[in-house]
Amino acid sequence: MIKAKDITKVFGKNTVLKNISTTINQGEVVTVIGPSGSGKSTFLRCLNLLEEPTSGEIFIQDRKINDKKANKLEIRKNIGMVFQHFHLFPHMTVLENVIYAPQKVKNQSKTEAEKIAKDLLAKVGLTDKEDAYPNRLSGGQKQRVAIARALAMEPEIMLFDEPTSALDPEMVKEVLDVMKDLVNTGMTMVIVTHEMNFAKEVADKVLFLDDGVLLEEADPKQFFEKPQTDRARDFLDKVL
Amino acid sequence: MNLDFSQIVPYIPFMLEGIWATLEFVIVSILIGLVLGTLLALCKITKAPLLKGLADVYTSIFRGTPLILQLMIIYFAVPQLTGYDIPAFLSAILAFGLNSAAYVSEIIRAGIMAVDKGQTEAAEALGVPYRPMMFNIILPQAIKNILPALMNEFITLTKESAIVSTIGYLDLMRRAQIVGADIYRNFEPLLVAGAIYWIMIFVLTKVGQAVERRMRQSD
Ligand SMILES: Nc1ncnc2c1ncn2[C@@H]1O[C@H](COP(=O)(O)OP(=O)(O)O)[C@@H](O)[C@H]1O
Ligand SMILES: [Mg+2]
């Protein structure tokens, strides 16, 4: 489903990703972990072209996406993204946040978009917040709206960039629970996270990035019990 | 102290009509300034160097020369160059509208830059095209940040509007001068005009504050 071949990303004089290659299959859940600044966000952002790889190729369903001829908007329709800091549209209500893109991008009618949105808001447990503005919500609620907003586009792939890192501890679970539900639907997911227990529990595969290098790509059980590199061992010692 | 307001009483209706004469072209100028200023601001933030360059040059010229000169050039140069005898009203809204656009474009540009970059990314990640992203997501948030600065620009424009009296447009200021010439007393009509300007600005300020307060309620 997603295939990265030798992705390198350079910012100025700084090489942030170094020849990263990996394959993510349909329905797979992949967690990306690694120290801060190791390039996790940049890697994720390359997958929906929020960042353009400096070199290398990314294929999604066998179509090369980092190509001059490729239509970025068309590609992004199919890839949802959830950010650490939510980025809800503050001047729109919860419902408006969720129906905006389906109406504008997929030309859904308002009725149709609202029906889907209400379904999704029920799934993330926020039916009673439909008409609230984002600033009235807690962090956990905001992130659940952000997930519903991304899902409203009915994407086949979901990207999560540290979705719980900006949350108060008591709200982490409600967001992880929503993500677990999503895992159970068979969604293809790439998740950057510092929640090691969650990563261990839901992942089919763990990617360990260090200083822009994909140091390990492993089964979660194997990775967490027997990391192959010293860097991964050090990292796990620190966070676990 | 030698003040006598009794003589201008018959002229009061004439002067009051000046309020509308002033407001009429101030409002039209503000609208021109807003629309053109928004377009210029969008040019300034594009990656297209030609559009950006043109918008910057435009702003530089209109901010770098006196407004009264721009007004005079439009009023006197247009007939001389094209033979079209441009009316004072049209000259006034052109000069003030084009001039205001330069200032408004800078205000809006700064407002757009101040919107969290995450908003653009969230919209892009959803596949939203540039234009709806700008008009539905970014600009509404920018407008909110820049409302105080915009109000300031409108107030300045209203006060500066008095210089249209120099091309014979019958605004409040011009009427005060005419009344002064008629009754051989300048001080009283000018005082009356001053009071009216002050009230107009006062009302405008209050309206601005009310709008701002309403907008802040959704925060
Ligand atoms: N837009 C950018 N411009 C310049 N440097 C950047 C940019 N984005 C990220 N970086 C740099 O790239 C490196 C990796 O960043 P990032 O992918 O955010 O790491 P992580 O998500 O693992 O913390 C960091 O050193 C960061 O400073
Ligand atoms: Mg990051």
Side-chain angles (χ1 to χ4, degrees):
Chain A
M1 178 140 234
I2 305 173
K3 197 165 178 180
K5 263 171 83 177
D6 280 332
I7 304 182
T8 295
K9 176 70 186 177
V10 181
F11 286 118
K13 282 187 275 179
N14 201 355
T15 305
V16 172
L17 296 178
K18 298 163 187 162
N19 294 305
I20 296 197
S21 297
T22 187
T23 302
I24 297 164
N25 295 315
Q26 169 123 37
E28 242 180 358
V29 176
V30 173
T31 56
V32 183
I33 62 180
S36 161
S38 58
K40 304 181 297 294
S41 297
T42 307
F43 170 67
L44 202 66
R45 293 157 59 83
C46 282
L47 298 182
N48 68 349
L49 298 180
L50 282 185
E51 302 288 358
E52 199 94 39
T54 309
S55 66
E57 295 175 300
I58 300 171
F59 296 89
I60 288 184
Q61 281 156 341
D62 298 325
R63 252 180 47 215
K64 183 172 170 185
I65 62 164
N66 58 327
D67 190 286
K68 284 231 154 49
K69 272 176 271 161
N71 181 346
K72 278 189 195 176
L73 297 179
E74 207 53 44
I75 292 157
R76 287 174 182 153
K77 271 193 215 174
N78 196 28
I79 308 176
M81 186 164 199
V82 174
F83 302 87
Q84 180 176 355
H85 295 287
F86 332 122
H87 301 325
L88 293 179
F89 305 133
H91 57 304
M92 298 182 186
T93 64
V94 165
L95 187 66
E96 286 164 353
N97 262 279
V98 181
I99 63 175
Y100 175 74
Q103 281 184 274
K104 273 283 172 264
V105 180
K106 293 177 84 183
N107 292 319
Q108 272 178 15
S109 71
K110 190 164 186 215
T111 342
E112 195 183 354
E114 277 185 356
K115 189 175 163 295
I116 295 171
K118 286 181 180 189
D119 257 16
L120 285 167
L121 288 173
K123 282 204 182 107
V124 301
L126 287 171
T127 300
D128 55 328
K129 297 291 180 195
E130 258 176 43
D131 298 320
Y133 282 92
N135 61 330
R136 296 268 171 251
L137 305 180
S138 71
Q141 292 170 329
K142 282 183 198 169
Q143 197 58 297
R144 285 185 281 151
V145 175
I147 294 173
R149 178 177 68 176
L151 290 175
M153 289 296 289
E154 302 176 310
E156 291 183 87
I157 299 166
M158 283 285 286
L159 310 176
F160 293 84
D161 192 358
E162 299 197 31
T164 58
S165 296
L167 301 180
D168 291 336
E170 73 270 21
M171 291 168 189
V172 169
K173 186 173 177 301
E174 66 191 54
V175 171
L176 293 183
D177 284 346
V178 166
M179 291 171 65
K180 279 180 200 166
D181 288 344
L182 200 55
V183 170
N184 291 331
T185 65
M187 175 72 76
T188 307
M189 295 161 74
V190 187
I191 308 168
V192 176
T193 184
H194 288 299
E195 296 290 328
M196 294 303 149
N197 288 326
F198 175 76
K200 205 185 318 191
E201 186 185 338
V202 304
D204 298 305
K205 188 161 74 187
V206 175
L207 304 183
F208 177 72
L209 280 186
D210 185 60
D211 198 19
V213 179
L214 179 54
L215 272 191
E216 297 201 29
E217 174 168 8
D219 175 82
K221 204 159 165 232
Q222 188 204 326
F223 175 78
F224 285 103
E225 273 162 26
K226 264 213 237 140
Q228 303 294 304
T229 57
D230 291 342
R231 294 292 304 158
R233 237 184 321 273
D234 284 352
F235 175 75
L236 288 177
D237 278 347
K238 270 186 215 127
V239 298
L240 284 180
Chain B
M1 196 76 155
N2 175 19
L3 273 181
D4 178 6
F5 285 95
S6 64
Q7 284 189 60
I8 64 167
V9 168
Y11 293 94
I12 291 286
F14 175 71
M15 289 194 70
L16 289 181
E17 278 167 37
I19 298 177
W20 175 239
T22 288
L23 279 182
E24 195 182 17
F25 96 85
V26 163
I27 291 169
V28 176
S29 303
I30 285 175
L31 291 179
I32 293 175
L34 268 181
V35 172
L36 188 60
T38 307
L39 291 177
L40 284 168
L42 290 174
C43 290
K44 286 178 184 178
I45 58 164
T46 58
K47 294 188 190 91
L50 184 66
L51 283 180
K52 193 176 153 3
L54 286 176
D56 285 343
V57 168
Y58 179 100
T59 305
S60 170
I61 289 173
F62 276 92
R63 293 208 307 181
T65 54
L67 176 54
I68 189 163
L69 176 106
Q70 295 161 19
L71 179 69
M72 293 286 177
I73 283 185
I74 291 174
Y75 188 62
F76 293 116
V78 168
Q80 196 174 322
L81 294 178
T82 67
Y84 171 61
D85 208 1
I86 189 166
F89 179 76
L90 192 55
S91 305
I93 60 169
L94 272 180
F96 279 82
L98 296 179
N99 179 274
S100 185
Y103 287 90
V104 168
S105 72
E106 272 306 292
I107 295 172
I108 294 183
R109 188 194 58 80
I112 291 173
M113 304 301 272
V115 174
D116 181 7
K117 211 168 149 282
Q119 293 290 307
T120 311
E121 295 194 342
E124 282 178 349
L126 287 163
V128 179
Y130 183 79
R131 208 187 280 222
M133 173 180 89
M134 239 28 221
F135 284 96
N136 302 144
I137 312 274
I138 306 300
L139 279 174
Q141 296 182 55
I143 297 283
K144 205 160 141 177
N145 299 337
I146 63 186
L147 216 63
L150 273 185
M151 268 334 275
N152 237 343
E153 165 61 16
F154 299 158
I155 286 170
T156 305
L157 199 154
T158 308
K159 283 188 291 190
E160 293 282 298
S161 75
I163 66 170
V164 289
S165 56
T166 57
I167 58 167
Y169 182 72
L170 271 179
D171 75 325
L172 182 55
M173 183 69 196
R174 180 88 189 124
R175 284 168 198 249
Q177 289 169 338
I178 289 173
V179 174
D182 250 27
I183 62 175
Y184 302 107
R185 303 181 78 94
N186 277 311
F187 189 39
E188 290 86 348
L190 287 175
L191 266 186
V192 171
I196 296 175
Y197 274 116
W198 180 78
I199 292 169
M200 290 197 317
I201 300 298
F202 184 80
V203 170
L204 200 55
T205 309
K206 286 288 163 205
V207 169
Q209 286 168 353
V211 174
E212 247 175 79
R213 227 176 295 120
R214 267 203 65 156
M215 286 230 156
R216 226 178 294 131
Q217 271 166 7
S218 72
D219 278 344

